[in-house]
Amino acid sequence: MGNVEGRVGAFDADTEDEFRMRVRDWLQENLSGDFAAVKGLGGPGREHEAFEDRLVWERHLARAGWTCLGWPVEFGGQDATLEQQVIFHEEYARADAPARVAHIGEQLLGPTLIAFGTDAQRARFLPAITAVDELWCQGYSEPGAGSDLAAVSTSATLVDDAWVVHGQKIWTSLAHVADWAFVLARTEKGSRRHAGLSYLLVPMNQDGITVRPIRQLTGTSEFNEVFFDGARTDASLVVGGPGRGWSVAMATLGFERGVSTLGQQVGFARELSSIVEIARHNGTADDPVVREKLIRAWIGLKVMRAYALATLGGSGSEGEDSVSKLLWATWHRGLGELAMDVVGAPALMAPRGELDRLQRLYLFTRADTIYGGSNEIQRNIIAERVLGLPREARR
């Protein structure tokens, strides 16, 4: 499936060291010329940076075979091992390559379709994901169903040969540039909680959908509200079958916390290194309190990496996913606070009204412990489903 002519090819013959050098050399050669300008751009709180240029870069990646590495070959991937995927993400981050723009399709929807989709769904959507021809967004959270996703009220009714969708989603990353959305909707009237939900694939470019940007503390707007007012999608575009949306949606969240987190940690290490350099330059590193915080941040980063490596390719249990989310989100929010401690009073100023990188880091990381499953919900999951403690009383 898909056109793989000219792609990198299978990696079976490479040792890990050979593969690492292969990735490193390719990135060094290709992040040059016109593409040199996109190095270091994009990412959480900065998705507005050179978006179109980063899209061109990602399609360049696709033509060379560096997208969807872990997917099976028959679906347009490379069947890369977990070790090779880790190496790629680490080297990509070390090269200061731009943040990816099609990660929602590649890392979330693609694996979900491979696991739960029909042959027709895979044939329709997977080639466009590998080629970065179509971009995706995730329609999960709602004003009354954020961390408590089972409270979803967006509804979809089957009318003749189409699902007709009504409702609202919120905090929808990159909805303003997405071609499609995978939407969790209630398709069984009168159903409650986890029952009666379906996982629908909905085209974004239609009259029944309105996207409104949400302006954040950073001044950027990669999150959006999405309103469905009679939006339609084909009856066949339900993944896993009607009423099975909860299990499919949970599987998607499991895919979200995969090998790319190790690349994310390389980016975290770069942020920490820049803060350490500032502390040395402005003398705050001599403050024993600040110095201890810097050391604790370094230790926390090592703990995150050790945990990620220990659980990589494991059961993907709710406990493992929840611990991972708690580790990185809490650490990264703390890094933003540490950055402000190190910079000191100048951090309160924004010349010409523009935030610098560390100010943007601080403001955006305030949300790290909320999006993707809040810390409170992750702790409840660990307490109730892993440790077997009594369930929290529900109102």
Side-chain angles (χ1 to χ4, degrees):
M1 176 178 293
N3 178 14
V4 296
E5 183 179 356
R7 292 169 69 85
V8 171
F11 306 133
D12 294 345
D14 287 353
T15 67
E16 289 184 17
D17 287 342
E18 289 171 340
F19 183 71
R20 186 176 294 278
M21 289 308 301
R22 187 177 181 180
V23 175
R24 188 175 296 174
D25 290 346
W26 189 92
L27 288 168
Q28 183 176 2
E29 179 181 349
N30 286 269
L31 278 171
S32 59
D34 292 340
F35 287 133
V38 299
K39 291 181 67 173
L41 299 183
R46 299 166 50 217
E47 290 290 1
H48 63 290
E49 294 178 342
F51 186 88
E52 292 298 329
D53 293 334
R54 288 161 50 214
L55 179 58
V56 172
W57 159 254
E58 194 147 340
R59 287 171 175 162
H60 180 69
L61 278 180
R63 288 191 294 272
W66 293 114
T67 57
C68 308
L69 296 185
W71 292 15
V73 171
E74 61 265 34
F75 297 124
Q78 298 284 9
D79 253 336
T81 65
L82 282 173
E83 291 80 5
Q84 289 169 336
Q85 294 175 62
V86 169
I87 288 169
F88 175 79
H89 286 291
E90 288 182 335
E91 291 302 320
Y92 191 89
R94 288 193 178 103
D96 204 21
R100 304 286 292 274
V101 301
H103 55 283
I104 296 176
E106 176 176 334
Q107 297 174 20
L108 278 68
L109 180 68
T112 302
L113 289 180
I114 290 170
F116 299 97
T118 64
D119 289 342
Q121 289 168 354
R122 296 183 190 123
R124 165 61 185 84
F125 294 110
L126 295 184
I129 294 174
T130 59
V132 198
D133 285 338
E134 291 177 337
L135 302 180
W136 286 81
C137 63
Q138 180 184 52
Y140 277 15
S141 295
E142 298 179 7
S147 296
D148 185 12
L149 193 57
V152 159
S153 62
T154 293
S155 66
T157 304
L158 193 57
V159 179
D160 297 327
D161 59 350
W163 294 99
V164 181
V165 186
H166 291 270
Q168 178 187 358
K169 297 294 181 178
I170 199 167
W171 310 121
T172 310
S173 300
L174 303 180
H176 58 296
V177 295
D179 302 293
W180 287 81
F182 49 95
V183 177
L184 191 62
R186 196 162 295 282
T187 53
E188 295 180 16
K189 190 174 182 179
S191 62
R192 300 186 64 233
R193 304 298 297 166
H194 309 89
L197 297 171
S198 295
Y199 189 108
L200 305 177
L201 310 179
V202 181
M204 291 292 290
N205 299 317
Q206 57 173 301
D207 292 339
I209 294 180
T210 301
V211 177
R212 294 180 184 170
I214 298 173
R215 185 175 175 85
Q216 300 146 203
L217 286 173
T218 55
T220 57
S221 302
E222 59 247 65
F223 293 133
N224 302 270
E225 294 179 284
V226 182
F227 298 87
F228 299 89
D229 185 15
R232 300 173 70 88
T233 192
D234 192 88
S236 65
L237 296 184
V238 53
V239 180
R244 292 195 58 208
W246 182 258
S247 60
V248 177
M250 293 302 100
T252 299
L253 292 178
F255 294 130
E256 183 176 18
R257 297 163 189 165
V259 295
S260 61
T261 58
L262 286 159
Q264 176 191 53
Q265 290 169 22
V266 174
F268 289 172
R270 184 183 295 111
E271 291 171 341
L272 176 58
S273 294
S274 69
I275 293 169
V276 170
E277 286 303 312
I278 292 171
R280 287 171 175 164
H281 180 74
N282 68 10
T284 53
D286 297 329
D287 183 326
V289 174
V290 172
R291 187 164 62 250
E292 180 181 354
K293 289 181 179 180
L294 290 169
I295 293 170
R296 286 182 177 275
W298 182 84
I299 293 171
L301 194 59
K302 297 300 180 183
V303 169
M304 270 193 291
R305 177 172 175 77
Y307 184 81
L309 289 172
T311 57
L312 196 62
S315 63
S317 67
E318 288 178 309
E320 289 180 0
D321 291 342
S322 295
V323 170
S324 177
K325 176 58 169 59
L326 281 171
L327 280 173
W328 77 255
T330 304
W331 184 91
H332 203 218
R333 183 183 64 183
L335 186 70
E337 295 169 350
L338 177 56
M340 297 299 97
D341 290 340
V342 166
V343 174
L348 299 175
M349 298 181 288
R352 299 181 301 279
E354 296 180 4
L355 301 175
D356 63 28
R357 284 201 172 201
L358 293 186
Q359 290 170 322
R360 198 178 297 278
L361 170 71
Y362 168 72
L363 290 174
F364 196 86
T365 55
R366 309 310 295 165
D368 280 356
T369 56
I370 300 173
Y371 70 80
S374 70
N375 276 15
E376 291 77 11
I377 292 296
Q378 303 311 316
R379 293 190 182 102
N380 278 354
I381 290 172
I382 294 169
E384 297 171 6
R385 304 180 193 177
V386 180
L387 300 178
L389 298 178
R391 293 181 65 84
E392 182 181 33
R394 298 187 182 276
R395 294 180 180 177

